[in-house]
Every structure is written in structure tokens, then in C-alpha cells.
Amino acid sequence: MSIPVATGLTASVGEGGHLYQYDTLSTVNPFAPVRPRQLNAYEAFKLIVNGLLLFPLRMLLSIGCVIAVIITFRICKFGLRDDDWITGWRRTVSLGSLMFFTRVLLFIQGMVWIEKRGEFDPEARLIVANHHCFWDALVLCAMCPGTFVAMKDLENVPLVNLVMKDLQCILVDRRDPNSRKTTMDRIVQRCDDLDRPNGSEALNRLVIFPEATTTNGLSLINFKLGAFRVLRPVQPVVLKYPVVHHDVAWLNGTTALHHFRTLCQFVHHCEIEFLPLMTPLQGESPPQFANRVRRAMAVALNIPMTQHSLEDVWLLSKAENLQKLEGFKGVEFHKAKEICGDMTMKQVEEAMESFIKLDKNVTGCVEFQDFCDALNLPPDSDIVRSIFNMIDVNENGVIDFQQYLLSKVLLSKKISTDDRIQTLYDYMKRKGKGKVTFGTVHQVLTEINPDFWNEEKLRNVFDMVNLNFKDEVTLDTFIAKVHEYPFYFYILFKAVNDPFAEKKTQ
């Protein structure tokens, strides 16, 4: 699926002008299945036969392997606290059992062959790997046991949570704004501990998946910088799962049926390669270091790098929760942020919800009349037409969500400078004899289009922007609504004066 990539920004906004331009197209979608996941006759046969015979046996034996690892760790850690270092025979036995039972577990689940290239470098303080599916961590445990930086949600997975506790994994709560700093502090502490005498013999290296989400393996998406901010030696590891009959990728929207199908396959294949150790260059910043590591991994995998990120997955999840996935598949958060600057996920989510109200036909595109009807705007107004034309950068008479989102955020920034807001508020205050009320707004709008802006229409607009038509509108409320509903306030700005007109002296 081709994904439109928006780049560039026009210098000004005029009648019919655009806030940005589409310059290029990105044709790699790292979150789509490599092949369709429909069932053919052979796959259906495997689901029926292996689902009845092989799947229950695999699940039973897999649980047995996990329990064996937990018991071994409990024996080896007897008398120690959870955060004590494991040394000597305890470490040899516990890690040996982890590697052995993990490899047995993979074999049970169909991972008969694992082709390994390269070796683990003991000088590495961090291991970074691409993320494809739930097997990544198991393969790494079988080849070089490490301590993982993982989602805190895994604490709720029975048995897995006990193994992660034994491995002293660092758990990240993405919903906690303070979690990032806490995680970084713990990463730094672990690297410092490894540098201490006997530290490398007593502690596992941290294993981090810097993509922070799983992909289909067709590209490497943007790396999060947590593994690179410490500027310590990193060993990249790349994983491949050649697709034969079934794509094992763990993608957004992956269902229990997909995991069931994965365990009903007769065999799976995996390739793992340990790349040479990479150390930060003198004067190299964390983003530069991360990009250099990512480039080396992309070359080893023979795939391109794209600028997608974890936030793109969140957008798809949000759209899926709203049951409007089709209309939002072309949205790329990284490109939107590149154009809009400090745009937040909250702004994107608010725009998604408001766009759904426009897209009554659930086509992913909105025509001019639907735009006017949904927002209670006069279709015969030149100002309203100019707003629609600003959004419609492709000039094809319809707007999609990405166009709506970018225009909404950029227009908000254009009209929400303090002096412009204050000028408009003061003007309306004078009109209202010291107050900005429903009557004041009605007076200003009727000067633009007296035939359309009757009291009923305006009350509908007030309801849409969550304003009580009986209350006075304070300056703080006015500023907040300008940011939240820029299209309405652009009309008010035009009523006072054209704030985007270039000064004749310039």
C-alpha cells in the first residue's frame, strides 16, 4: 500500500493556498502482513489436524519448559534477594538451564533450525535487535541470555512474569510519563554495574528492541534512543524468519487465531546474526549513534530504513478501537510531526474523532458539502470554501484524514499567536460592550453572512465547541478554543481582518 508522505511548508496562507505540500510517496508499509492471512486448503488442513493433535502437545510441553526454568532459578537463587547478583555455580546452572530449556521450547514449537552467524562479544554492554514476533526474545535467550527491557504489561502474563523477575528485566510503563526517566536511570545503572570488577561475569547484558514495536521485517523503522543515550558499546543482532507458508510477524491487529496458526505449522526457520561490536565515535550524539547502528542492521538484513515509529502503531490501534481503520491507514505520525513540529498524540486523537464526524459515508474522504454540513458552516461562503481548499492539497475536491490533521494543526499555529488572539478578543469585546458572549459572536458572524448565521445555527456551533451560549467567554477559554477549533476561529479572524495578508512594506 502506498503511503503519502507530506513534506514542505508553504510560506503563507492565502485564498485557496495550501499549508503544506505532498512531495513524495513512501511505498513500504512495515505494519502490513507480508502475505495475505487468508486460509487456503493446506492451511485449513493443518489447523484441523495439528490443532487437535500437535497444538495441545506443544502447549503442554512448552509450559513444562517454562516451569523447569522457574524451578531452576528458584533453586539457584535460594537465600538471595531479588536484586542480588548471581555468581559462581548459581549463574552457570541458572543460565545454562535457561539456554537449554529455551532451545527445547523453540524446538517443541516448530523452530527446528536456527542458523547462527557471528558470536556474542563480551565487551558489549547492550544488545540491540530488530523486533518481529514473540520468538525474538526466546531465540536470543537460547543464544546469549540477556536481561530484557520490556513492556510492563508482561507482568500480567502468568509464568512469563516469573521468568522476567528472575532475569531482573527492566519493565517500561508507556502510560506513565515518568517511566522513561526511570528506565533510563536503570539502563545507566546496569551499564555502570557491568563496568565494575566482576560485573560482566555476574550480570546479563541488557537486550533492547529499539524499534519498540514489532514489524513485518520489510524495513527498519525509527529507533527509540534509550539504548543509545548511555553511549556505551552496542552489539547489533539481526533476526530473520523466512516466510514459507505462514508469516509469523506479530503485527497490530494480530489475533489469537494467528498465534494458533503459528503453533499449528509443522516447522519454522530462523536466522540470527551477531554483527561486530559498535562503539560511539568521538563527538557522536545519541541520534547519530542510533542511526549508524540502524544502518548497519539494515545492510545486514538487506532491507530499507523508513521513518515510521511506535506512534504509527498507536494511531492504527486508536483507529481500530474507533472501528474506522480504513480511513486512517495512510497516516504517518513521524511525517505529520515533521511538518507540524510539536504536535502531540492527543491532538492526533482529537482530530481522528472529529474527522469521523465529517466522514459520514465511512470512505476515508470528505467532500465539501459533507464538510459544511458536519461543521454547520455555510456552503456558499467564500471563506469556508477557502478553508476547504487549504485542506485539499491534492485539489481533487475531497480531503482525507492526513490532510485534515495537518491543516488543522498548522492553521491553529498560524492564527494562535498571542497578539492575534488578543487583537480578535479585544475587537469582539468592543462589539459586546466589554464582554464576549453568544450575542457578540452572532453579531460578528451576521456581518459576514446574515442569511446563514441565525441563532439556531450558531447554537449548534457552540454545542460542537463545548461552549455554553449563556456564559461569558473569557480570554483563557477563547485561547483554548482557538487551538482546539481553528476552522471556526479562522472565520472570525477573517471577519475582523485578514491576519494572513502580507504587509505591503514587506
Side-chain angles (χ1 to χ4, degrees), residues 204-253:
N204 296 334
R205 272 63 179 174
L206 278 177
V207 179
I208 299 178
F209 299 107
E211 292 173 292
T213 188
T214 50
T215 70
N216 57 17
L218 295 181
S219 67
L220 273 183
I221 66 173
N222 262 337
F223 281 3
K224 296 295 182 181
L225 299 180
F228 307 97
R229 291 191 188 280
V230 293
L231 295 175
R232 301 293 180 91
V234 167
Q235 182 166 27
V237 177
V238 295
L239 296 148
K240 292 182 184 179
Y241 300 87
V243 176
V244 181
H245 298 290
H246 173 66
D247 179 15
V248 301
W250 197 347
L251 302 173
N252 179 66

Coordinates of all heavy atoms in Angstrom, one line a residue, residues 204-253:
N204 N 23.8 -10.1 33.3 CA 23.5 -10.3 31.9 C 23.5 -8.9 31.2 O 23.2 -7.9 31.8 CB 22.1 -10.9 31.7 CG 22.0 -12.3 32.3 OD1 23.0 -13.0 32.4 ND2 20.8 -12.7 32.7
R205 N 23.8 -8.9 29.9 CA 23.7 -7.7 29.1 C 22.3 -7.3 28.9 O 21.4 -8.2 28.9 CB 24.4 -7.9 27.8 CG 25.9 -7.6 27.7 CD 26.7 -8.5 28.6 NE 28.1 -8.2 28.5 CZ 29.0 -8.8 29.3 NH1 28.6 -9.7 30.2 NH2 30.2 -8.5 29.2
L206 N 22.0 -6.1 28.8 CA 20.6 -5.6 28.5 C 20.4 -5.9 27.0 O 21.2 -5.6 26.2 CB 20.5 -4.1 28.8 CG 20.2 -3.8 30.3 CD1 20.2 -2.3 30.4 CD2 18.9 -4.4 30.8
V207 N 19.2 -6.4 26.8 CA 18.7 -6.7 25.4 C 17.6 -5.7 25.2 O 16.6 -5.7 25.9 CB 18.3 -8.1 25.2 CG1 17.8 -8.3 23.7 CG2 19.4 -9.1 25.5
I208 N 17.7 -4.9 24.2 CA 16.7 -3.9 23.9 C 16.3 -4.0 22.4 O 17.1 -4.2 21.5 CB 17.2 -2.4 24.1 CG1 17.6 -2.3 25.6 CG2 16.2 -1.4 23.7 CD1 18.2 -0.9 26.0
F209 N 15.0 -3.9 22.2 CA 14.4 -3.8 20.8 C 14.1 -2.3 20.6 O 13.1 -1.8 20.9 CB 13.1 -4.6 20.7 CG 13.3 -6.1 21.0 CD1 12.9 -6.7 22.1 CD2 14.0 -6.9 20.1 CE1 13.0 -8.0 22.4 CE2 14.2 -8.3 20.3 CZ 13.7 -8.8 21.5
P210 N 15.1 -1.6 19.9 CA 14.9 -0.1 19.8 C 13.8 0.3 18.9 O 13.4 1.5 19.0 CB 16.3 0.3 19.3 CG 16.8 -0.9 18.6 CD 16.3 -2.1 19.3
E211 N 13.2 -0.6 18.1 CA 12.0 -0.2 17.3 C 10.8 0.0 18.2 O 9.8 0.7 17.9 CB 11.7 -1.2 16.3 CG 12.8 -1.3 15.2 CD 12.5 -2.4 14.2 OE1 12.6 -3.6 14.7 OE2 12.2 -2.2 13.0
A212 N 10.8 -0.6 19.4 CA 9.8 -0.5 20.4 C 8.5 -1.1 20.0 O 7.5 -1.0 20.7 CB 9.6 0.9 20.9
T213 N 8.4 -1.8 18.9 CA 7.2 -2.5 18.4 C 7.7 -3.5 17.4 O 8.8 -3.5 16.9 CB 6.2 -1.5 17.8 OG1 5.0 -2.2 17.6 CG2 6.7 -0.9 16.5
T214 N 6.8 -4.4 17.1 CA 7.1 -5.4 16.0 C 6.7 -4.9 14.6 O 5.7 -4.1 14.5 CB 6.3 -6.7 16.3 OG1 5.0 -6.4 16.6 CG2 6.9 -7.4 17.6
T215 N 7.4 -5.4 13.6 CA 7.1 -5.1 12.2 C 7.1 -6.3 11.4 O 7.4 -7.4 11.9 CB 8.2 -4.1 11.7 OG1 9.4 -4.8 11.5 CG2 8.4 -2.9 12.6
N216 N 6.8 -6.2 10.1 CA 6.8 -7.3 9.2 C 8.2 -7.7 8.7 O 8.3 -8.7 7.9 CB 5.8 -7.1 8.0 CG 6.2 -5.8 7.3 OD1 7.3 -5.3 7.3 ND2 5.3 -5.3 6.5
G217 N 9.2 -6.9 9.1 CA 10.5 -7.3 8.7 C 10.9 -6.7 7.3 O 12.1 -7.0 6.8
L218 N 10.1 -6.0 6.6 CA 10.4 -5.4 5.3 C 11.2 -4.1 5.4 O 11.7 -3.7 4.4 CB 9.1 -5.2 4.5 CG 8.3 -6.4 4.2 CD1 7.0 -6.0 3.4 CD2 9.1 -7.4 3.4
S219 N 11.3 -3.6 6.6 CA 12.1 -2.3 6.8 C 12.4 -2.2 8.2 O 11.8 -2.9 9.1 CB 11.3 -1.1 6.3 OG 10.2 -0.9 7.1
L220 N 13.4 -1.3 8.5 CA 13.7 -1.0 9.9 C 13.1 0.4 10.2 O 13.4 1.4 9.5 CB 15.2 -0.9 10.1 CG 15.9 -2.2 10.5 CD1 17.4 -2.0 10.8 CD2 15.3 -2.8 11.8
I221 N 12.3 0.5 11.2 CA 11.6 1.8 11.5 C 12.5 2.6 12.4 O 13.6 2.1 12.9 CB 10.2 1.6 12.1 CG1 10.3 0.9 13.4 CG2 9.3 0.8 11.1 CD1 8.9 0.8 14.1
N222 N 12.1 3.8 12.8 CA 12.9 4.6 13.6 C 13.2 3.9 15.0 O 12.3 3.3 15.6 CB 12.1 5.9 13.9 CG 12.6 7.1 13.0 OD1 13.7 7.0 12.5 ND2 11.7 8.0 12.8
F223 N 14.4 4.1 15.5 CA 14.8 3.6 16.7 C 14.5 4.6 17.9 O 14.7 5.8 17.7 CB 16.3 3.3 16.8 CG 16.7 2.1 16.1 CD1 15.8 1.3 15.4 CD2 18.1 1.6 16.1 CE1 16.2 0.1 14.8 CE2 18.5 0.5 15.5 CZ 17.5 -0.3 14.8
K224 N 14.0 4.1 19.0 CA 14.0 4.9 20.2 C 15.4 5.0 20.7 O 16.2 4.1 20.5 CB 13.1 4.2 21.2 CG 11.6 4.1 20.8 CD 11.0 5.5 20.7 CE 9.5 5.4 20.3 NZ 8.9 6.8 20.1
L225 N 15.7 6.1 21.4 CA 17.1 6.4 21.7 C 17.6 5.9 23.1 O 18.7 6.1 23.5 CB 17.3 7.9 21.7 CG 17.0 8.6 20.3 CD1 17.3 10.1 20.4 CD2 17.9 8.0 19.2
G226 N 16.7 5.2 23.8 CA 17.1 4.7 25.2 C 18.4 3.9 25.2 O 19.2 4.1 26.1
A227 N 18.6 3.0 24.2 CA 19.8 2.2 24.2 C 21.0 3.0 23.9 O 22.1 2.5 24.1 CB 19.6 1.0 23.3
F228 N 20.9 4.1 23.3 CA 22.0 4.9 22.7 C 22.4 6.1 23.5 O 23.4 6.7 23.3 CB 21.7 5.2 21.3 CG 21.3 4.0 20.5 CD1 19.9 3.8 20.2 CD2 22.2 3.2 19.9 CE1 19.5 2.7 19.5 CE2 21.8 2.1 19.2 CZ 20.5 1.8 19.0
R229 N 21.5 6.5 24.4 CA 21.8 7.7 25.2 C 22.9 7.5 26.2 O 23.6 8.5 26.5 CB 20.5 8.2 26.0 CG 19.4 8.7 25.1 CD 18.3 9.4 25.9 NE 17.2 9.7 25.1 CZ 17.1 10.8 24.4 NH1 18.1 11.6 24.3 NH2 16.0 11.0 23.7
V230 N 23.1 6.3 26.6 CA 24.2 6.0 27.5 C 25.6 6.0 26.8 O 26.6 6.0 27.5 CB 24.0 4.6 28.2 CG1 22.8 4.7 29.1 CG2 23.9 3.5 27.2
L231 N 25.6 5.9 25.5 CA 26.8 6.0 24.7 C 27.8 4.9 25.2 O 29.0 5.2 25.5 CB 27.4 7.4 24.7 CG 26.6 8.5 24.1 CD1 27.2 9.9 24.3 CD2 26.4 8.2 22.6
R232 N 27.4 3.7 25.2 CA 28.2 2.6 25.6 C 28.3 1.6 24.4 O 27.5 1.7 23.4 CB 27.6 1.8 26.8 CG 27.5 2.7 28.0 CD 28.8 3.1 28.6 NE 28.6 3.9 29.8 CZ 28.6 3.4 31.0 NH1 28.7 2.1 31.2 NH2 28.4 4.2 32.1
P233 N 29.3 0.7 24.4 CA 29.4 -0.3 23.3 C 28.1 -1.1 23.1 O 27.6 -1.6 24.0 CB 30.6 -1.2 23.7 CG 31.4 -0.3 24.6 CD 30.4 0.6 25.3
V234 N 27.7 -1.2 21.8 CA 26.5 -1.9 21.5 C 26.8 -3.0 20.5 O 27.6 -2.8 19.5 CB 25.4 -0.9 20.9 CG1 24.3 -1.7 20.2 CG2 24.9 0.0 22.0
Q235 N 26.2 -4.2 20.7 CA 26.3 -5.2 19.6 C 25.0 -5.4 19.0 O 24.0 -5.8 19.6 CB 26.8 -6.5 20.2 CG 26.9 -7.6 19.1 CD 27.7 -8.8 19.6 OE1 27.7 -9.2 20.7 NE2 28.4 -9.5 18.6
P236 N 24.9 -5.1 17.7 CA 23.6 -5.3 17.0 C 23.4 -6.8 16.6 O 24.4 -7.5 16.3 CB 23.8 -4.5 15.7 CG 25.0 -3.6 15.9 CD 25.9 -4.4 16.9
V237 N 22.2 -7.2 16.7 CA 21.8 -8.6 16.3 C 20.6 -8.5 15.4 O 19.7 -7.7 15.7 CB 21.4 -9.4 17.6 CG1 21.0 -10.8 17.2 CG2 22.6 -9.5 18.5
V238 N 20.6 -9.2 14.3 CA 19.5 -9.2 13.4 C 18.9 -10.6 13.3 O 19.6 -11.6 13.3 CB 20.0 -8.7 12.0 CG1 20.4 -7.3 12.0 CG2 21.1 -9.6 11.4
L239 N 17.6 -10.6 13.2 CA 16.8 -11.8 13.2 C 15.9 -11.8 11.9 O 15.3 -10.8 11.5 CB 15.9 -11.9 14.4 CG 16.6 -12.0 15.8 CD1 15.8 -11.3 16.8 CD2 16.8 -13.5 16.1
K240 N 15.9 -13.0 11.3 CA 15.0 -13.2 10.1 C 14.2 -14.5 10.3 O 14.7 -15.5 10.9 CB 15.9 -13.4 8.8 CG 16.6 -12.1 8.4 CD 17.3 -12.5 7.1 CE 18.2 -11.3 6.6 NZ 18.9 -11.6 5.4
Y241 N 13.0 -14.5 9.8 CA 12.1 -15.6 9.8 C 11.6 -15.8 8.4 O 10.6 -15.2 8.0 CB 10.9 -15.5 10.8 CG 11.4 -15.2 12.2 CD1 11.6 -14.0 12.7 CD2 11.5 -16.3 13.1 CE1 12.0 -13.8 14.0 CE2 11.9 -16.1 14.4 CZ 12.2 -14.8 14.8 OH 12.5 -14.6 16.1
P242 N 12.3 -16.6 7.5 CA 11.9 -16.8 6.1 C 10.5 -17.3 6.1 O 10.1 -18.2 6.7 CB 12.9 -17.8 5.6 CG 14.1 -17.7 6.5 CD 13.6 -17.3 7.8
V243 N 9.6 -16.6 5.3 CA 8.2 -16.9 5.2 C 8.1 -18.0 4.1 O 8.5 -17.9 3.0 CB 7.4 -15.7 4.8 CG1 5.9 -16.1 4.5 CG2 7.5 -14.6 5.9
V244 N 7.5 -19.1 4.5 CA 7.2 -20.2 3.5 C 5.7 -20.3 3.3 O 5.1 -20.0 2.3 CB 7.8 -21.6 4.0 CG1 7.5 -22.7 3.0 CG2 9.3 -21.5 4.3
H245 N 5.0 -20.8 4.4 CA 3.5 -20.9 4.3 C 2.8 -19.9 5.2 O 1.7 -19.6 4.9 CB 3.1 -22.3 4.7 CG 3.6 -23.4 3.8 ND1 3.2 -23.5 2.5 CD2 4.5 -24.4 4.0 CE1 3.8 -24.6 1.9 NE2 4.6 -25.1 2.8
H246 N 3.5 -19.5 6.2 CA 2.8 -18.6 7.2 C 3.8 -17.6 7.7 O 4.9 -17.9 8.1 CB 2.3 -19.5 8.4 CG 1.8 -18.8 9.5 ND1 0.6 -18.0 9.4 CD2 2.2 -18.6 10.8 CE1 0.3 -17.5 10.6 NE2 1.3 -17.8 11.4
D247 N 3.3 -16.3 7.7 CA 4.1 -15.2 8.2 C 3.9 -15.1 9.7 O 2.8 -14.9 10.2 CB 3.6 -13.9 7.5 CG 4.4 -12.7 8.0 OD1 5.4 -12.9 8.7 OD2 3.9 -11.6 7.7
V248 N 5.0 -15.2 10.5 CA 4.9 -15.3 12.0 C 4.9 -13.9 12.6 O 4.8 -13.7 13.8 CB 6.0 -16.1 12.6 CG1 6.0 -17.5 12.1 CG2 7.4 -15.4 12.3
A249 N 5.0 -12.8 11.7 CA 5.1 -11.5 12.3 C 3.9 -11.1 13.2 O 2.7 -11.4 12.9 CB 5.1 -10.5 11.1
W250 N 4.2 -10.5 14.3 CA 3.3 -10.1 15.3 C 2.9 -8.6 15.1 O 3.6 -7.7 15.6 CB 3.9 -10.3 16.7 CG 2.9 -10.3 17.8 CD1 1.6 -9.9 17.8 CD2 3.2 -10.8 19.2 NE1 1.0 -10.1 19.1 CE2 2.0 -10.6 19.9 CE3 4.3 -11.3 19.8 CZ2 1.9 -10.9 21.3 CZ3 4.2 -11.6 21.2 CH2 3.0 -11.4 21.9
L251 N 1.9 -8.4 14.3 CA 1.6 -7.0 13.9 C 0.3 -6.5 14.6 O -0.4 -7.2 15.3 CB 1.3 -7.0 12.4 CG 2.5 -7.5 11.5 CD1 2.0 -7.6 10.1 CD2 3.7 -6.6 11.7
N252 N 0.1 -5.2 14.5 CA -1.1 -4.6 15.1 C -2.3 -5.3 14.5 O -2.5 -5.5 13.3 CB -1.1 -3.1 14.7 CG -2.4 -2.4 15.3 OD1 -2.5 -2.3 16.5 ND2 -3.2 -2.0 14.4
G253 N -3.2 -5.6 15.4 CA -4.4 -6.3 14.9 C -4.3 -7.8 14.9 O -5.2 -8.6 14.5

